[in-house]
């Protein structure tokens, strides 16, 4: 199992599927399944039964998408980019955008 370059809170661009070209923030990442949930992407309708706490009806929610179908959004121009790693002067290891060289980690 390889590690994922995508983490919760990252801005990504969808590369394939019905939502190709859409951008959004990663809500959750599942490294074991190699899947991510992106805000506003891959919306599915869920028919829910009313319960004591929640009202029933049709609810739209995000479904997971495979990590190979998303790429990081370059902080400079917003286009898809690959990820590299760099060790800064203070000893921290950070992720950088290959396209522009910008640091992605906060």
């Amino acid at each position: 199992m390889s590690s994922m370059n995508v983490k919760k809170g990252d801005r990504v661009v969808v590369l394939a599927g019905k939502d190709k070209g859409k951008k959004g923030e990663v809500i959750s990442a599942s490294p074991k399944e190699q899947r991510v949930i992106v805000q506003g992407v891959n919306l599915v309708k869920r028919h829910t039964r009313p319960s004591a706490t929640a009202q029933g009806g049709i609810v739209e929610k995000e479904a997971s998408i495979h990590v190979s179908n998303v790429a990081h959004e370059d902080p400079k121009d917003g286009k898809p980019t690959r990820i590299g790693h760099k060790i800064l002067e203070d000893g921290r290891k950070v992720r950088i955008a290959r396209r522009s060289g910008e640091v992605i980690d906060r």
Side-chain angles (χ1 to χ4, degrees):
M1 182 180 73
S2 62
S3 64
M4 298 192 326
N5 285 324
V6 182
K7 296 180 183 174
K8 182 179 174 180
D10 287 347
R11 296 276 307 160
V12 294
V13 181
V14 179
L15 301 176
K18 65 179 183 178
D19 294 317
K20 181 177 179 177
K22 284 190 180 177
K23 298 176 182 180
E25 189 176 316
V26 175
I27 300 169
S28 75
S30 306
K32 206 173 247 181
E33 289 88 37
Q34 294 278 299
R35 298 183 83 78
V36 291
I37 296 177
V38 183
Q39 192 170 21
V41 172
N42 198 20
L43 292 173
V44 293
K45 285 182 168 65
R46 174 114 170 92
H47 295 67
T48 57
R49 177 175 283 133
S51 67
T53 56
Q55 185 181 355
I58 301 171
V59 179
E60 257 195 353
K61 59 180 270 185
E62 294 95 354
S64 68
I65 184 171
H66 197 269
V67 74
S68 67
N69 294 328
V70 296
H72 275 277
E73 183 182 344
D74 196 308
K76 265 192 178 163
D77 58 8
K79 291 187 176 156
T81 182
R82 291 181 307 159
I83 297 301
H85 295 277
K86 187 179 188 179
I87 297 171
L88 300 177
E89 301 85 45
D90 60 1
R92 286 190 303 137
K93 185 177 179 182
V94 293
R95 297 176 300 160
I96 60 164
R98 286 272 188 214
R99 188 179 176 90
S100 63
E102 293 280 312
V103 174
I104 288 175
D105 289 330
R106 299 156 279 294

